[in-house]
Amino acid sequence: MNYFFKSAVTSAFLLGTLTVNAQDLSRKIPADAMAVMTIKGNNFLELMSAEEFNNTFIGKEMFSKLAKEQNNNYNSVEDFGFNLSSSFYYYNQTNDSVSYNCFLAPVKNLAQLDKVFEQSGKKFSINGKQRTFFNADSSKIMRWNDEMLLMVLADGRSAYFDRPEIRERFGMSAIEVAQEAVAVDSAAAVEAVDVAVDAAGDQAMDATEVMVEEPKPRARVKKKGSQSAKSRKTKLKGKKSAKKSYKKKPVKVQPAEDIYMDAASAAAEAVDSVAVMADTAYSYYDDKNSPYYKDKTIKTAVVARWTVKMIDGAFAGADQNSIMKNADFTKNIDQKAEISVWVAGVEKLGKAFMPSTPYLKDFNFLSGYGTANAKLYLEEKSIRISSAMTFGEEMGSVLKKIHQRKLNKAFLKYVNEDKLIGYMAYSMDTKAYLQEYPKLVSKIYGSLYSDEIGMATDLFSLVLDEEAISKVIKGDGIFIFNGLSQKEVSYKSYDYNEENFETTEVMKTKKETLPDFLAMISTEDTRLINKLIAYGVKKEVVKSKNSYYEVTIPKSPLALYFAIKEGVIFLGTNATEMEQIVSNTYQAKVSGKHKSALLGNNYAAYFSPKRLAGKIPAEELGSPAKIEKANKTLNSLGDIYIRSYPMNGNTFAGEISMDTPADQKNSLKYLFSVIENLK
């Protein structure tokens, strides 16, 4: 598709909705869909009208580019023919043989939508109120009427089409272990495909055809007497194939009624065996007479036939197998969310798209992962994305044990929100993690290496003392980012004398940008740590600084300080701050919002872009223009929060949000202003 059509669809999808009305197309989504995304245009239109969108820099730029491509100027996103106040959907439907990526959009004005295709140089067939468009190889098929448009991008699964019985059924070449490439007589294949294409053309073109003139492709002509192309072909015959080699056998093709693809495209793909241009590299996989190319053509035709059958079902009017009968899907519908994503099963989806290689055949990386969802909310005071995932009983039990610990309240005595730019805190039970880790490894790799994994996990449990380790590192901690600083450091360099060709060693200085941070980790047993400190002092790597220590890092300008106090290990870059901690003079300040986020969740993070603005050294950004743009962008962003909630049953949920500045009308318009600042 060209830029015109992409822009039309993208703009319409930006303004889609899930309102329950006569044109709600969710009933058209099949029950076995593996993933569904919903875009609610009505929610977007409440935040920004179509007219307001047309006047944004995105709208103006889009229409400007469309005007250069088309004879007719488009002035509004409403001119594309979609119903912007209804629901737009994406869904994936995958089985063992083919994967369908489907886009479903409501149509408001059929004539306008037809005009979109006509002016973009697309040809389509008309059958009553239905229109159908095929791209060059029929891997993308679109059908629409006065109610909806369905675009399907189909991809045949290699694991299915590489099976010997499947290849024989469809008349594809037999695959054998990669050896010398074997030449194949293509005459029979071309003749068979010609017959199939002619039959398919008679069947497919019964409907009225709307032809739109397109630029004619430049003819490829083989230069007479060209020895380079001949030499390349000669070398190719004995060349080893890096992918697949094909056994010489007659090619069988299905009856014509079983193959459905655009007749002109099929003829061009199957019959056109024009020689390669003399100045173009020649490849076995580019040769249209090769078995590889013919197999690809047959596979494409088969997948296209299946795709058309699937589309026929969607337009037939029968909605018995609708996703709306899936209780988990309907439970996750939220009318307030502008965009929603639902996954039927993460483990199931992972298996469907796992690469078809014997090395990964029995691996189960996502064992125990169930349904998942994510939702975008454009609220008055914030932009918020929530997500949740449900796990199986066994995996859910493991996660509950690991996340039963809360953050150490003592950490809050050393947090000053007026000084920090951001923080990241986590809390888990080290003992539970070490005890459950072997089970997790066994679930992933056990089916493939059951004996080896069994011995390894037993050895892991035998060597490690989970109880002792959990007392040294309990499992909760916090990292506080206070900013950036610069330090002048010396380094060796060499001056070159061009007269006598000698080099002289000299000392030079430069500025290094260093982070300023403070980290805290809970501990109960410090005996091992004390031994490490004593060893470091003996080796002159650790220096005592009266109740705290300094770590010397060879060839590094970064100075690190640490201390142990009241069951907390402190590690930071600021000596003054470390002195205040050990002397009980540190001034803490934590608001209720941050306190709730830190103590009420297993994971919490915060970042204030505004506080970072102006603190990044100019040397790191470059030109004054880049510095100004970076600081302008940082100042335009609100505070960002990330948190994960305690498990509810077997469901693990989290959220990321960004505050919307008070001077902004709403979150959507604020997003557009941020994007405009970035251009």
Side-chain angles (χ1 to χ4, degrees), residues 260-534:
Y260 191 116
M261 65 183 296
D262 183 79
S265 171
E269 294 291 329
V271 180
D272 184 15
S273 57
V274 182
V276 182
M277 294 177 65
D279 58 349
T280 304
Y282 187 82
S283 169
Y284 172 78
Y285 298 100
D286 295 330
D287 180 10
K288 294 186 178 181
N289 287 322
S290 71
Y292 169 81
Y293 195 91
K294 293 184 180 301
D295 287 349
K296 182 180 178 181
T297 302
I298 294 172
K299 175 182 174 181
T300 301
V302 171
V303 172
R305 175 173 58 85
W306 291 343
T307 304
V308 169
K309 184 177 180 181
M310 186 268 279
I311 294 175
D312 288 342
F315 279 81
D319 306 324
Q320 292 87 349
N321 295 320
S322 169
I323 193 70
M324 295 305 293
K325 295 185 179 180
N326 185 309
D328 190 78
F329 174 79
T330 55
K331 180 182 67 176
N332 283 282
I333 294 176
D334 189 339
Q335 300 296 337
K336 295 181 179 180
E338 274 65 41
I339 299 177
S340 301
V341 177
W342 174 82
V343 178
V346 176
E347 180 180 0
K348 180 181 177 182
L349 191 66
K351 287 182 177 179
F353 290 95
M354 184 73 70
S356 55
T357 168
Y359 302 106
L360 299 175
K361 181 179 180 181
D362 294 318
F363 280 46
N364 195 358
F365 298 101
L366 301 174
S367 176
Y369 287 66
T371 60
N373 67 80
K375 300 168 186 175
L376 169 67
Y377 300 88
L378 298 175
E379 299 172 331
E380 182 180 356
K381 297 182 179 180
S382 68
I383 300 168
R384 185 164 56 91
I385 299 175
S386 69
S387 62
M389 183 176 295
T390 301
F391 296 89
E393 289 295 332
E394 186 177 358
M395 180 63 75
S397 176
V398 169
L399 293 175
K400 287 176 185 176
K401 293 176 182 177
I402 292 176
H403 293 103
Q404 61 187 351
R405 178 177 295 282
K406 298 296 183 181
L407 195 73
N408 191 341
K409 292 182 180 180
F411 292 166
L412 300 184
K413 296 191 295 183
Y414 310 101
V415 177
N416 189 326
E417 64 181 63
D418 289 341
K419 294 171 55 180
L420 61 82
I421 293 176
Y423 62 72
M424 181 176 67
Y426 70 93
S427 56
M428 70 173 189
D429 192 303
T430 301
K431 180 180 178 180
Y433 178 79
L434 293 175
Q435 289 175 338
E436 299 296 332
Y437 180 75
K439 298 179 184 178
L440 297 177
V441 174
S442 181
K443 284 180 68 65
I444 296 174
Y445 304 102
S447 58
L448 187 61
Y449 303 109
S450 56
D451 294 336
E452 294 84 349
I453 293 298
M455 289 187 291
T457 53
D458 288 343
L459 181 62
F460 181 87
S461 300
L462 180 64
V463 172
L464 296 181
D465 187 339
E466 296 92 344
E467 183 72 30
I469 295 174
S470 66
K471 289 183 178 180
V472 178
I473 305 294
K474 300 184 75 173
D476 58 330
I478 185 172
F479 177 89
I480 301 172
F481 176 58
N482 293 316
L484 298 169
S485 62
Q486 283 195 314
K487 183 177 181 180
E488 194 170 85
V489 297
S490 300
Y491 67 98
K492 289 182 181 180
S493 183
Y494 297 89
D495 287 343
Y496 179 70
N497 190 324
E498 294 183 357
E499 295 181 359
N500 57 18
F501 306 106
E502 293 181 353
T503 57
T504 305
E505 183 179 295
V506 294
M507 294 299 296
K508 295 185 178 181
T509 60
K510 63 179 180 179
K511 290 184 177 180
E512 290 277 3
T513 301
L514 305 173
D516 181 11
F517 67 86
L518 175 66
M520 291 172 269
I521 301 172
S522 293
T523 185
E524 184 179 331
D525 187 347
T526 62
R527 289 176 297 175
L528 176 60
I529 300 173
N530 290 332
K531 289 181 180 179
L532 292 173
I533 294 173

Side-chain angles (χ1 to χ4, degrees), residues 541-543 549-553 558-562 571:
V541 178
V542 177
K543 297 179 182 179
Y549 303 89
E550 179 182 358
V551 180
T552 303
I553 305 175
L558 183 66
L560 289 176
Y561 306 91
F562 72 92
L571 178 67

